Amino acid sequence: MAGLSVFLVEDNQKIRDHLIPALAEMGSASVMAIAESEDDAIQWLALHKGQWDLAVIDLFLAQGSGLGVVKWCEGREPTQRVVILTNYATASVRAACLEAGADAFFDKSTQLEEFFEFCLGRA
């Protein structure tokens, strides 16, 4: 079975340095590209429609918002999944992200295990 192709939208280098090898260690996921801003993420997504399996998106980016990226993904393939992975996990933010089209929402500080389980389930 082919691995999970992940597009990571995260502007924090320390978090990327942790997430990328952690996903690779699962043996089923690899980060194919990274964006640090809403504009860069949307540009990459527009050029790679249908070529990714999972978009992992932070809410607060160097420019723009992860919510804008989620909304842009609205017309994605039925097999593609979009998840929010953020430190700003309030109930209202979670509801707004799910309403905007995110398939799942995870708190970086308390739900990493659940996030990785979600990724394994997608692979």
Side-chain angles (χ1 to χ4, degrees):
M1 176 183 345
L4 192 65
S5 297
V6 178
F7 176 48
L8 180 60
V9 184
E10 171 63 67
D11 64 344
N12 185 307
Q13 182 69 46
K14 289 180 182 179
I15 292 171
R16 290 195 312 258
D17 289 347
H18 173 74
L19 276 180
I20 293 170
L23 287 165
E25 283 177 24
M26 291 189 326
S28 61
S30 62
V31 175
M32 62 185 301
I34 297 166
E36 295 185 359
S37 71
E38 179 179 351
D39 288 349
D40 288 347
I42 289 171
Q43 181 180 10
W44 188 90
L45 287 163
L47 293 171
H48 298 88
K49 287 186 177 184
Q51 297 177 21
W52 52 275
D53 301 313
L54 176 66
V56 178
I57 304 170
D58 186 23
L59 280 179
F60 295 104
L61 303 171
Q63 171 276 320
S65 164
L67 198 55
V69 180
V70 171
K71 289 177 181 175
W72 194 92
C73 290
E74 186 176 20
R76 67 186 178 271
E77 297 294 321
T79 57
Q80 293 176 309
R81 296 291 176 255
V82 174
V83 301
I84 294 290
L85 184 62
T86 186
N87 282 324
Y88 195 69
T90 66
S92 61
V93 169
R94 178 183 304 266
C97 291
L98 295 174
E99 185 178 312
D103 295 295
F105 183 99
F106 300 99
D107 185 333
K108 287 178 190 172
S109 58
T110 62
Q111 294 184 302
L112 280 179
E113 186 173 319
E114 292 92 336
F115 166 73
F116 288 120
E117 287 175 10
F118 179 90
C119 294
L120 280 170
R122 299 300 318 152

